[in-house]
């Protein structure tokens, strides 16, 4: 991917800092005063040195102490102002970084599902944490240092011109060489820092993936292979970091070398001017100090070249995520769903995640309001794809999908998705109380309704046994309770939803058969007036479905009731028979 120009990145960063112009203005004023007071020190130092030889046969201590006192006072005030500036910059960068992280997360909430199907979760997390922190560090330190450097260089140059303009010519040779060195090193280090950020993102993604699958890894005895794979990715990240840091740190010593050459030349020419009576010892002392302050910021800037390149590389990844295109906006005149009945029609629908690889072809069916539609078929047949299209997680290539006679592409996404509730195979719970997880997505639910739903979902007795009952805190995704219990909680949550359509994707795969049968009865009773779409591999759970769609290679191979399909003795019969004995299959 083409790298973003520095000017563009600086402009985008300024958009965050520029929101706080008052803080920036006050910070700039503090920085200016602090630096100027500090930069008056060398001049006072030179005057104090000259005062040593102003009185014959002795030292004018009164003048020496006078200038030394002013130096101490100016340095104390400068240090205090510098401290205030640091506090102000912390506040500024905190607000800017908070806004940046909020912009990233806000945009992520608007991104299409296809984005998260393409990128590793760990890589995205790396952008939100590591990359934004890297940018924050640069804003807090490097930005302030750059401002101070500009003031220091300009003020020192003016003071050197007032002391000995002839010696300033020395910098006409050393500064261009320094600029050439820094540009040369910068041009080669920035791509390396981009590569470092990429490798760290890949490493984070791998670690996140392996932590989620650690039980499977141990069950299959693949610890050695995982460690070996981690070692390779870790080594790649280390090598990328080493290369970036190596070339980034070349700038400091190189520029420091040029500064030492400048100091040597100043010493030589300053001595010649002193011997010719054109300059005093105090002036030489002041000039040397100003020359160090003049070249010091240049050296410091070179030292932070690596940090700046790292920040630019991180900013690229952050802004790339912020600039990711969100879901296509609702069409002009899209309507908000009012009362929903749940009559769904798919008409000649074709779709593929990639244009050359169709998943569904000429797919159509009609689900009347309140019907239970079961979708079965082998893995990869397109069952979950149907659900993705109903929810408009993806847009169809051809055909039409209609809800209560309305084209879903003429309906706002929010109201369309609000008409559905889902129970997936991978039960999702968030960190909070059991009660908060149960009422997620719906307000105004009474405790009586919650208890009724949990009883129907066969989880009420378990909750009552907990020390804090419904107020029991769940950890992230409820990892300290079993998968079956997590799934029962999500089923109870679905029962509490007032949506008119329900999607069950292997919703009872983690519960035992007896519990599953009880839940099926309860769900059938409580959701009798809802349109239900059920994806199931255990065919025994869908025998009471109003219509069963048998999907094969993206097409509906068979459709009908359980009894009707069994009588045909076609594909569904074969699938059912494969799960039971022949006798059980025939005597359903």
């Amino acid at each position: 991917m083409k790298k973003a120009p520095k000017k563009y990145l600086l402009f985008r960063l300024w958009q965050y800092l520029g929101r706080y112009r008052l803080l920036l203005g006050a910070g700039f004023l503090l920085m200016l005063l602090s630096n100027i007071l500090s930069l008056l020190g060398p001049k006072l130092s030179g005057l104090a040195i000259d005062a040593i030889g102003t009185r014959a046969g002795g030292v004018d201590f009164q003048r020496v102490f006078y200038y030394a006192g002013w130096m101490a006072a100016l340095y104390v005030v400068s240090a205090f102002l510098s401290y205030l500036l640091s506090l102000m910059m912390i506040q500024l960068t905190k607000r800017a970084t908070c806004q940046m992280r909020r912009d990233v997360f806000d945009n992520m909430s608007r991104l299409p599902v296809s984005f998260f199907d393409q990128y590793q979760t760990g890589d995205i997390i790396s952008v939100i944490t590591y990359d934004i922190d890297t940018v924050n560090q640069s804003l807090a330190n490097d930005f302030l240092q750059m401002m101070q450097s500009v003031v220091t260089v300009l003020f020192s140059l003016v003071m050197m011109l007032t002391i000995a303009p002839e010696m300033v010519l020395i910098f006409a040779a050393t500064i261009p060489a320094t600029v050439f060195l820094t540009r040369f090193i910068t041009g080669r280090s920035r791509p390396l820092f981009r590569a470092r950020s990429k490798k760290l993102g890949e490493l984070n993604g791998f670690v996140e993936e392996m932590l989620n699958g650690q039980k499977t890894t141990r069950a299959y005895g693949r610890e050695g292979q995982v460690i070996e794979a981690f070692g390779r990715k870790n080594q790649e990240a280390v090598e990328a970091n080493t290369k970036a840091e190596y070339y980034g740190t070349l700038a400091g010593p190189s520029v420091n070398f040029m500064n030492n050459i400048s100091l040597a030349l100043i010493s030589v020419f300053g001595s010649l001017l002193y011997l010719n009576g054109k300059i005093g010892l105090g002036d030489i002392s002041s000039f040397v100090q100003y020359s160090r302050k003049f070249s010091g910021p240049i050296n410091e800037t070179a030292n932070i070249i690596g940090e700046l390149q790292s920040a630019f590389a991180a900013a690229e990844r952050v802004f790339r995520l912020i600039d990711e295109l969100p879901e296509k906006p609702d069409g002009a005149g899209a309507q908000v769903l009012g009362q929903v009945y749940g009559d769904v029609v798919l008409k000649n629908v074709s779709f593929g995640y990639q244009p050359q690889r169709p998943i569904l072809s000429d797919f159509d069916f009609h689900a009347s309001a309140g019907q239970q539609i079961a979708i079965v078929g082998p893995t990869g047949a397109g069952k979950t794809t149907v659900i993705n299209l109903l929810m408009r997680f993806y847009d169809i290539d051809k055909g039409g999908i209609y809800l209560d006679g309305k084209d879903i592409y003429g309906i706002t996404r929010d109201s369309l998705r609000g008409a559905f509730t889902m129970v997936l195979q991978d039960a999702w719970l968030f960190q909070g109380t059991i009660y908060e997880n149960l009422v997620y997505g719906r307000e105004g639910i009474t405790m009586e309704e919650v208890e009724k739903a949990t009883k129907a979902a066969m989880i009420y007795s378990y909750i009552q046994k907990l020390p804090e009952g419904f107020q029991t805190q769940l950890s992230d995704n409820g990892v300290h309770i079993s998968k079956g219990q997590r799934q029962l909680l999500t089923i109870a949550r679905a029962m509490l939803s007032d949506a008119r359509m329900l999607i069950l994707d292997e919703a009872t795969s983690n519960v035992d058969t007896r519990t599953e049968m009880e839940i099926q009865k309860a769900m059938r009773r409580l959701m009798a007036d809802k349109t239900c779409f059920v994806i199931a591999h255990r065919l025994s759970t869908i025998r009471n479905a109003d219509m069963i769609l048998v999907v094969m290679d993206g097409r509906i191979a068979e459709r009908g009731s359980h009894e009707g399909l069994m009588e045909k003795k076609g594909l569904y019969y074969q699938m059912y028979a494969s799960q039971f004995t022949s006798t059980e299959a025939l005597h359903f």
Side-chain angles (χ1 to χ4, degrees), residues 327-529:
E327 280 188 311
K328 294 178 182 178
D330 295 321
Q335 299 178 351
V336 177
L337 278 174
Q339 185 174 3
V340 178
Y341 297 98
D343 188 89
V344 178
V345 175
L346 271 72
K347 190 173 183 180
N348 300 324
V349 169
S350 295
F351 169 78
Y353 294 104
Q354 298 176 4
Q356 298 78 18
R357 299 180 61 185
I359 302 297
L360 300 180
S361 301
D362 296 324
F363 200 95
D364 74 357
F365 69 84
H366 178 203
S368 299
Q371 278 192 324
Q372 180 178 340
I373 309 299
I375 306 173
V376 301
T379 302
K383 303 184 296 297
T384 302
T385 299
V386 176
I387 303 305
N388 286 337
L389 298 180
L390 285 174
M391 297 285 287
R392 281 197 66 186
F393 292 147
Y394 289 86
D395 292 339
I396 60 175
D397 297 330
K398 289 194 306 182
I401 303 177
Y402 304 91
L403 172 60
D404 295 339
K406 301 174 183 177
D407 188 336
I408 65 169
Y409 291 93
I411 300 171
T412 62
R413 279 192 182 87
D414 286 345
S415 63
L416 172 67
R417 291 170 183 169
F420 288 90
T421 189
M422 300 179 71
V423 180
L424 305 178
Q425 183 176 6
D426 296 325
W428 178 76
L429 299 172
F430 57 86
Q431 187 169 355
T433 66
I434 289 178
Y435 177 80
E436 289 169 340
N437 274 275
L438 288 171
V439 300
Y440 182 75
R442 185 183 168 191
E443 297 179 357
I445 299 178
T446 66
M447 197 63 202
E448 183 181 353
E449 291 176 293
V450 173
E451 291 178 354
K452 182 179 179 181
T454 52
K455 288 176 181 177
M458 312 292 288
I459 191 66
Y460 179 78
S461 60
Y462 170 76
I463 297 174
Q464 289 299 104
K465 292 176 183 177
L466 297 172
E468 298 180 57
F470 284 93
Q471 298 306 314
T472 300
Q473 285 283 336
L474 296 178
S475 61
D476 183 24
N477 206 22
V479 294
H480 64 285
I481 63 176
S482 72
K483 282 188 176 181
Q485 290 161 346
R486 291 205 301 269
Q487 203 153 36
L488 293 176
L489 287 173
T490 59
I491 290 171
R493 180 168 61 195
M495 289 178 174
L496 288 166
S497 171
D498 57 359
R500 299 291 299 174
M501 292 178 289
L502 174 66
I503 293 172
L504 304 173
D505 188 351
E506 290 296 323
T508 55
S509 61
N510 289 320
V511 298
D512 62 87
T513 305
R514 182 177 178 180
T515 303
E516 180 182 46
M517 292 173 65
E518 294 296 325
I519 291 173
Q520 289 288 336
K521 292 177 184 178
M523 291 180 72
R524 188 71 176 172
R525 184 173 63 252
L526 292 174
M527 302 182 181
D529 58 343

Side-chain angles (χ1 to χ4, degrees), residues 130-131 134 185-186 188-200 240-249 303-314 316-317:
Y130 170 77
D131 288 329
T134 300
I185 294 171
T186 299
R188 280 156 179 77
S189 61
R190 187 180 175 194
L192 297 176
F193 280 101
R194 293 177 71 242
R196 183 182 75 168
S197 293
K198 180 182 177 182
K199 290 297 181 183
L200 285 173
N241 182 68
T242 301
K243 287 180 181 178
E245 293 294 342
Y246 172 77
Y247 283 99
T249 53
N303 285 328
I304 63 172
I305 287 292
E307 295 176 16
L308 288 173
Q309 299 314 305
S310 180
F312 284 140
E316 278 186 273
R317 285 163 53 85

Side-chain angles (χ1 to χ4, degrees), residues 151-259:
V151 174
T152 301
V153 167
L154 292 177
F155 192 90
S156 298
L157 178 61
V158 171
M159 295 303 291
M160 286 190 295
L161 286 171
T162 60
I163 295 170
E166 304 94 333
M167 290 200 294
V168 176
L169 293 175
I170 294 170
F171 295 106
T174 57
I175 294 300
T178 303
V179 171
F180 173 78
L181 273 174
T182 54
R183 289 181 64 88
F184 178 80
I185 294 171
T186 299
R188 280 156 179 77
S189 61
R190 187 180 175 194
L192 297 176
F193 280 101
R194 293 177 71 242
R196 183 182 75 168
S197 293
K198 180 182 177 182
K199 290 297 181 183
L200 285 173
E202 292 176 359
L203 181 63
N204 287 340
F206 179 82
V207 170
E208 190 266 344
E209 185 179 272
M210 290 303 104
L211 287 177
N212 286 338
Q214 61 176 315
K215 291 182 181 178
T216 303
T217 299
R218 295 186 181 185
Y220 283 89
R222 304 290 291 180
E223 294 92 338
Q225 288 81 354
V226 168
I227 292 172
E228 184 180 344
F230 174 81
R232 288 195 300 269
K233 290 189 175 292
N234 188 34
Q235 186 62 33
E236 289 174 0
V238 169
E239 288 177 357
N241 182 68
T242 301
K243 287 180 181 178
E245 293 294 342
Y246 172 77
Y247 283 99
T249 53
L250 280 178
S254 300
V255 174
N256 196 39
F257 172 73
M258 296 303 302
N259 290 338

Side-chain angles (χ1 to χ4, degrees), residues 277-295:
K278 294 183 178 180
I279 193 171
L281 286 176
D283 289 335
I284 292 178
S285 173
S286 297
F287 194 95
V288 168
Q289 292 180 68
Y290 280 121
S291 71
R292 298 300 291 175
K293 289 186 175 292
F294 178 79
S295 58

Side-chain angles (χ1 to χ4, degrees), residues 368 370-374 524 530 532 542-548 560-562:
S368 299
Q371 278 192 324
Q372 180 178 340
I373 309 299
R524 188 71 176 172
K530 298 178 186 285
C532 301
I542 59 167
R543 291 176 55 168
N544 295 321
D546 296 300
M547 181 167 58
I548 299 171
S561 66
H562 172 77

